[in-house]
Structure formats: C-alpha cells, structure tokens
Amino acid sequence: MTIVDACTRRREGGSPTAVLIDDITLSDSTRRAIVRRAGTSHAAFVDDAGTTPTVRFFTAHGELTNCGHGTIAAQAVLLHRRRIREHRLRQRTGGRTFDTTAIQRDDGIEVWFDQGPVELQDCTAAGRDSILAALNIRSNDMATDDAPCVASPGTPRLLVPVRTLPTLLSIRPDLRRLAAECRRLGFLGCFVYTLSPTRDAAAARMFAPAIGVGEDVVNANSTGCLAAHLFATHGHSSIEVEQGQTAGRPSLVFATATATTKGISARVGGMATIRSGPNGRANGEAP
C-alpha cells in the first residue's frame, strides 16, 4: 500500500489516498475493509498487468464509478514505480478509457487526466430547495449571478454557488438529511463553491455523505464539472479551485474546459506527493 497526498498546494495538504497494486482475487468486501484499515476516505486498486492500467476506486461503503483525486494518486504511483520522469498513458475506469499524463516536478508529481464530456442540466426547484435546506444554506447566501446546476461526468452531483468565502466556510450541513436527499435525487453529493470576481479561481467544499464521505478533502471531478459549467455559462475555459480549508489540508485542483463534438469536455490536473510506500521512499522523492 502506498499513501499519496493528491492535489497538494505547495507540497502541503492534499487528500490522503491509498493506492494498491491490485490482487484481482480480492473480494469487494475485502477492498472496502482495506479502505477502513488505511484510514483514508478513498483507495485506488490498480491492475497494472497490461499496457493500459485498470483502476478501480472504493470507499469504505462501496465502489465508485470514478474518482478524480484517486486517478491523480494512482498515476503518480505508476510513474514512481516505473522510475521515469514522465509518462503518457491510457487508464481504464468505470467502463471508460481515457488519456493521462504524469510528470515528475521538483515540488511533486504533476498529473492531468481527460475527464471527458460533462453533462449539464438545471436542477428542479423542489430538488434545489431540499438540498439547500439540508446544507443549511439560506436563499440570501446564494450567489446572485449564478444558479445551482446538475453536472455529470458519469455520476451527477449538484454545483451550488454561494456569495462569499466566509459563507462557504461557515456551512454546517445536516449530513443525514443531505445523504437522504442526495440518494433520492440520484446525486453523488454537493459541490459548494464561491468564485473570484474574474471567475478564474474559486474556493469549494464537497459534501458526499450518500457515499459515506461527509466532507471530501478534495473532489477533482467536481472541479472539472465547475470548469464545464463556467465555460457553458460565461465562456471561461480554465479555473483553479482551492479546497480542504476546513480540514486543515490546503489543496488545489486545476481544470480546463473545451467544446467538442460530444459536448463540453474537461481536463483535470493536480500535484501529488508520495508520502509513504512499500519501497521505503517518501515525500515524492524523484527516481
């Protein structure tokens, strides 16, 4: 098992993620138990037997269709295992194969991956109101120039804009109620954010109690979703999002959005630091 801090900010913080070279004979219940034993919110199980690695993601509650910061952690470990400074690979996850890039930098391993098309749609008034009530967000806390949006790179989640950073940091959701509402509406969770005046930077928090993660330190896929949403509504193609503030783990995710024949697609990136692993190296030490 290797522990990776994914989406670090200046080599600090990030989301601790367990990465294991997978034994395909393991049962899914064993994989869930491994997540609990690792003490991380997520784990990536990597089958590296072929030319295209297959990566599966688990929380203690079950398997996820995909995981952005888990992909960043897995690709960092694959680069480190190969003892090279850069690779461009394809990764299979959740029935999809996509491009990844990992590069050893002086301050860690930089990873980017192709998130693919992001489906965007409005949230119904009833769904929006039930989620806001569970989040304990009042109507006057909401941003006036943006609106909640359902975004799905494969799994839907609700993007919720609030007016200020103090509002974002003060949110105390009813997690049990939020989990029930997200399950009822089919949402992975809620990505609450506040934008800079120029819309090229944001701060955000991700609540996903429906999958057993009350508050995620980092949610990279939701950053890609936000980039797609801002591209669709305001024409902005790139953003960087600070996360992990309330967990004391400063984190940063980058994303760019482009128009393709399949819709708006996003590319997501972040830095990773290898904290500990079976070969005894730590702190992202270069091969």
Side-chain angles (χ1 to χ4, degrees):
M1 182 187 299
T2 303
I3 303 298
V4 180
D5 291 329
C7 305
T8 55
R9 185 173 181 267
R10 301 190 186 98
R11 291 188 72 95
E12 296 183 349
S15 180
T17 306
V19 180
L20 298 93
I21 302 304
D22 199 14
D23 177 352
I24 61 174
T25 65
L26 292 177
S27 67
D28 288 356
S29 62
T30 299
R31 292 185 177 94
R32 294 195 299 270
I34 287 172
V35 181
R36 288 190 290 271
R37 188 163 69 245
T40 59
S41 61
H42 300 71
F45 294 82
V46 183
D47 179 358
D48 193 25
T51 56
T52 301
T54 296
V55 185
R56 298 176 67 191
F57 300 104
F58 282 80
T59 68
H61 282 234
E63 186 170 7
L64 303 177
T65 303
N66 53 54
C67 177
H69 72 269
T71 292
I72 289 170
Q75 290 297 323
V77 169
L78 286 172
L79 180 75
H80 194 66
R81 279 170 54 85
R82 285 166 168 75
R83 302 180 64 81
I84 57 178
R85 299 198 67 85
E86 179 175 350
H87 72 214
R88 298 178 186 274
L89 295 179
R90 302 272 283 165
Q91 176 178 311
R92 283 191 299 267
T93 293
R96 179 174 170 264
T97 302
F98 52 91
D99 293 332
T100 65
T101 301
I103 305 170
Q104 178 72 57
R105 305 291 192 191
D106 291 340
D107 57 347
I109 298 173
E110 180 182 351
V111 178
W112 287 83
F113 66 92
D114 174 20
Q115 187 181 34
V118 178
E119 181 180 348
L120 303 169
Q121 60 182 352
D122 294 333
C123 184
T124 65
R128 177 198 63 211
D129 292 345
S130 67
I131 290 290
L132 293 181
L135 286 167
N136 288 317
I137 294 177
R138 301 167 298 179
S139 58
N140 61 354
D141 292 328
M142 300 292 294
T144 57
D145 56 350
D146 205 350
C149 168
V150 180
S152 177
T155 306
R157 78 277 328 270
L158 188 66
L159 309 182
V160 181
V162 295
R163 297 179 62 179
T164 67
L165 181 60
T167 296
L168 176 72
L169 298 180
S170 69
I171 293 171
R172 298 293 182 269
D174 181 334
L175 292 177
R176 182 174 296 181
R177 183 177 179 184
L178 183 61
E181 290 300 323
C182 285
R183 292 190 187 106
R184 182 178 68 84
L185 296 167
F187 296 158
L188 172 78
C190 299
F191 192 65
V192 188
Y193 64 93
T194 184
L195 290 171
S196 70
T198 57
R199 302 183 193 278
D200 60 355
R205 297 171 69 186
M206 178 66 174
F207 303 100
I211 61 168
V213 182
E215 181 170 356
D216 214 350
V217 174
V218 172
N219 197 279
N221 275 327
S222 292
T223 298
C225 289
L226 180 57
H229 169 62
L230 294 175
F231 184 80
T233 56
H234 298 92
H236 289 263
S237 60
S238 63
I239 192 166
E240 59 180 52
V241 181
E242 293 191 26
Q243 299 173 51
Q245 305 95 323
T246 57
R249 298 194 63 85
S251 307
L252 193 62
V253 186
F254 309 97
T256 61
T258 57
T260 72
T261 57
K262 296 182 179 180
I264 299 175
S265 292
R267 190 166 178 260
V268 180
M271 299 297 296
T273 298
I274 295 177
R275 190 198 311 172
S276 63
N279 64 1
R281 291 181 185 271
N283 300 320
E285 181 183 347

